Amino acid sequence: MIDLKALERDFETISQRLRLKGVEEELLRKVKKLFEEKKEITTKIQNLQAKRNTLSKQIGVLIRESKKEEAEKIKNEVSNIKKELEELNKKLKSIEEKLNILALSIPNIPDSDVPVGKDENDNVEIKRVGEIPKFDFEVKSHDELGEKLNWLDFKRGVKLAKSRFVVMKNEAARIERALINFFLDHNKRYGFEEVWVPLMVNETTMTGTGQLPKFKEDLFKIEDEDLYLIPTAEVPLTNLFRDEIISDLTKPIKLTSYTPCFRKEAGSYGKDTKGIIRQHQFDKVELVAITRPEDSNKVFEEMVEVASKALEKLNLPYRQVMLCTGDLGFSAAKTIDLEVWIPSQNRYREISSISNTRDFQSRRAKIRFKDGKKNRLVHTLNGSSLAVGRTLVAIMENFQTKDGKVEIPEVLRKYML
């Protein structure tokens, strides 16, 4: 959640940064109006409290001077001030509650070094790694290869569920399993502790990382239960520390987890309808870090490296891209995407997003750490390492052969014995 005190203190500067992220003027006007009302009521409360204190002192003096009638008049005045203060404090509490509700819909403030832009076309490429493969035959898409090799069964996926579900068979299923194990082992070498988490979480947990209320339409909810299917392991991993004060954060807490993920993809109608690039259910290995504020930049760079090295071990060509303000996610202050080359589309596609959310999620989830005698908000970071299905797509397309087969990357072969 955005720091409301900071926003109130420097409204014009911060609201300008929020506009770059697409925050609507109407929302900002509502917040500004509530700040003004809050300030007006707070001033009234302070003035009345000062007046009450002055009058209360006069009562004691008048009683000592045996001026009981005058003392009684002032007592009545003090009593009326007390009633007025009670009403004003109720109004103040109501305004603060309204502000807190609105704050849940306000995204994180982009870092100052995030490039300004409207959408993905304004993202900034950082570097490219690996050579794009050249083929002396007509390249097939992964869905075409998958059906021909009897690896991907889209018809039965629809029969079992609906569109954007798939049944993986034979080598596709084995590669999917191999990738999961490879990613987890790879992440462990970088000091990320493996965790197994629930695939369903409650509303408070979803709110803690920013999925609710903003992205309610994109979530699968369990009927008649306070439970949602997770859209990413970031949600349960980060919320492990919700409402906690971490006693020792000398070293960052680094976690990794494999989970199936579930998304309605409500805002992606008509996009990637063929194949498995955009599914309602998909596998992902996630990285999450909980750090002291002064460590988060270093850990962010490390997480980008972890995900990048996994792609390099698979010999997949990719590029790193800094997201612009308009393409930045709701909770993110800064994001670097890794995009892998997809030959059939002749372009790079996102396979990982590594984000630093600063104290945005920790303020919502109340995750703090002991810093001497003070409790401070942690910084939280998250990233895919990697989206398993999209990695399978990249392997199938980049390593396809002229005779219609797919070569398995060497690093995965030991996982497929």
Side-chain angles (χ1 to χ4, degrees):
M1 189 161 65
I2 193 168
D3 186 345
L4 283 173
K5 290 181 180 178
L7 180 58
E8 184 176 12
R9 190 169 54 245
D10 193 7
F11 185 84
E12 293 307 321
T13 302
I14 293 176
S15 60
Q16 184 58 39
R17 295 294 297 171
L18 291 172
R19 288 185 186 96
L20 295 173
K21 212 170 177 182
V23 177
E24 295 178 359
E25 288 294 334
E26 184 182 355
L27 176 57
L28 292 172
R29 280 196 297 270
K30 285 180 181 179
V31 172
K32 187 175 183 180
K33 185 181 178 183
L34 287 170
F35 280 149
E36 289 169 351
E37 291 176 7
K38 179 187 171 187
K39 185 177 180 180
E40 183 182 345
I41 291 174
T42 301
T43 301
K44 286 181 180 179
I45 289 172
Q46 290 170 346
N47 291 337
L48 283 172
Q49 286 173 336
K51 186 177 180 180
R52 181 190 59 187
N53 292 340
T54 301
L55 290 173
S56 296
K57 290 177 183 178
Q58 289 178 15
I59 292 170
V61 173
L62 291 169
I63 289 173
R64 285 194 296 272
E65 293 176 353
S66 300
K67 296 178 180 179
K68 292 184 179 180
E69 287 187 18
E70 292 182 40
E72 283 301 317
K73 287 181 181 178
I74 294 177
K75 279 183 181 179
N76 290 334
E77 191 174 353
V78 169
S79 179
N80 290 333
I81 289 173
K82 183 181 177 182
K83 291 177 183 177
E84 192 174 351
L85 281 171
E86 286 174 356
E87 289 301 314
L88 287 171
N89 279 310
K90 283 181 184 178
K91 289 181 180 179
L92 182 61
K93 186 179 179 181
S94 175
I95 288 170
E96 288 173 342
E97 287 173 352
K98 289 176 182 176
L99 280 167
N100 284 328
I101 291 170
L102 287 177
L104 292 175
S105 300
I106 300 174
N108 202 354
I109 304 164
D111 282 356
S112 58
D113 62 343
V114 171
V116 175
K118 291 183 179 179
D119 53 36
E120 61 182 13
N121 296 314
D122 295 320
N123 293 339
V124 177
E125 183 176 301
I126 299 170
K127 67 175 181 178
R128 298 188 180 193
V129 179
E131 290 190 17
I132 293 173
K134 295 178 180 178
F135 299 95
D136 59 359
F137 56 90
E138 187 176 348
V139 170
K140 293 183 175 63
S141 64
H142 73 278
D143 52 294
E144 186 181 356
L145 279 167
E147 290 186 315
K148 183 180 178 182
L149 294 169
N150 195 27
W151 286 14
L152 302 175
D153 193 331
F154 296 101
K155 289 181 180 178
R156 284 189 170 89
V158 172
K159 181 171 77 171
L160 294 176
K162 63 176 186 177
S163 61
R164 297 199 177 183
F165 287 89
V166 69
V167 174
M168 293 185 187
K169 300 188 291 184
N170 301 312
E171 293 302 282
R174 296 180 71 216
I175 294 171
E176 187 89 355
R177 171 169 53 83
L179 283 168
I180 292 165
N181 288 313
F182 163 62
F183 291 149
L184 290 171
D185 287 349
H186 171 77
N187 296 343
K188 184 181 177 182
R189 292 188 186 98
Y190 282 86
F192 286 81
E193 176 189 357
E194 185 176 346
V195 184
W196 191 269
V197 292
L199 301 183
M200 292 181 280
V201 296
N202 56 38
E203 182 175 340
T204 304
T205 299
M206 282 290 191
T207 304
T209 39
Q211 277 69 32
L212 287 175
K214 178 72 173 176
F215 301 105
K216 187 175 183 178
E217 297 303 313
D218 209 30
L219 301 173
F220 285 101
K221 188 177 187 306
I222 309 302
E223 189 175 0
D224 299 325
E225 294 280 352
D226 179 23
L227 289 171
Y228 295 81
L229 292 172
I230 62 168
T232 165
E234 166 203 340
V235 177
L237 285 176
T238 305
N239 278 279
L240 287 172
F241 302 93
R242 192 182 73 236
D243 293 323
E244 291 187 18
I245 299 171
I246 301 167
S247 58
D248 183 8
L249 199 57
T250 308
K251 293 182 179 179
I253 296 170
K254 300 190 294 184
L255 308 172
T256 186
S257 184
Y258 153 68
T259 64
C261 303
F262 307 89
R263 297 180 189 173
K264 286 185 179 179
E265 297 288 356
S268 61
Y269 181 78
K271 295 180 182 177
D272 298 310
T273 53
K274 292 186 68 178
I276 62 172
I277 284 181
R278 198 180 296 273
Q279 296 274 283
H280 291 307
Q281 175 185 322
F282 57 96
D283 292 326
K284 187 153 69 81
V285 174
E286 189 77 1
L287 298 171
V288 162
I290 312 289
T291 79
R292 300 169 70 96
E294 56 268 29
D295 294 332
S296 68
N297 286 337
K298 181 182 177 182
V299 173
F300 177 72
E301 292 173 2
E302 180 183 348
M303 289 171 68
V304 173
E305 181 185 5
V306 173
S308 298
K309 290 297 182 185
L311 286 169
E312 290 170 28
K313 286 181 180 179
L314 290 164
N315 291 318
L316 289 170
Y318 72 95
R319 67 175 186 167
Q320 293 181 1
V321 176
M322 176 79 75
L323 298 196
C324 71
T325 51
D327 199 30
L328 209 55
F330 180 78
S331 297
K334 185 176 185 175
T335 296
I336 288 179
D337 271 8
L338 305 184
E339 298 180 347
V340 71
W341 180 254
I342 303 297
S344 68
Q345 298 184 13
N346 198 36
R347 66 184 179 117
Y348 291 97
R349 295 298 304 270
E350 177 203 332
I351 197 168
S352 173
S353 280
I354 297 96
S355 298
N356 191 338
T357 74
R358 304 295 178 190
D359 60 10
F360 184 81
Q361 291 180 331
S362 62
R363 183 173 285 103
R364 295 170 76 108
K366 298 178 183 176
I367 307 172
R368 294 148 292 169
F369 72 100
K370 278 282 182 190
D371 187 15
K373 294 182 179 180
K374 292 195 304 181
N375 296 329
R376 296 171 60 198
L377 292 170
V378 303
H379 278 196
T380 63
L381 303 94
N382 62 78
S384 311
S385 180
L386 295 161
V388 183
R390 291 194 178 196
T391 310
L392 172 62
V393 168
I395 288 171
M396 291 175 69
E397 294 205 9
N398 283 280
F399 299 142
Q400 62 183 292
T401 61
K402 194 171 186 175
D403 57 2
K405 296 180 180 179
V406 176
E407 293 182 354
I408 308 300
E410 186 177 346
V411 74
L412 294 183
R413 291 173 191 171
K414 66 178 181 180
Y415 294 99
M416 299 179 67
L417 296 175

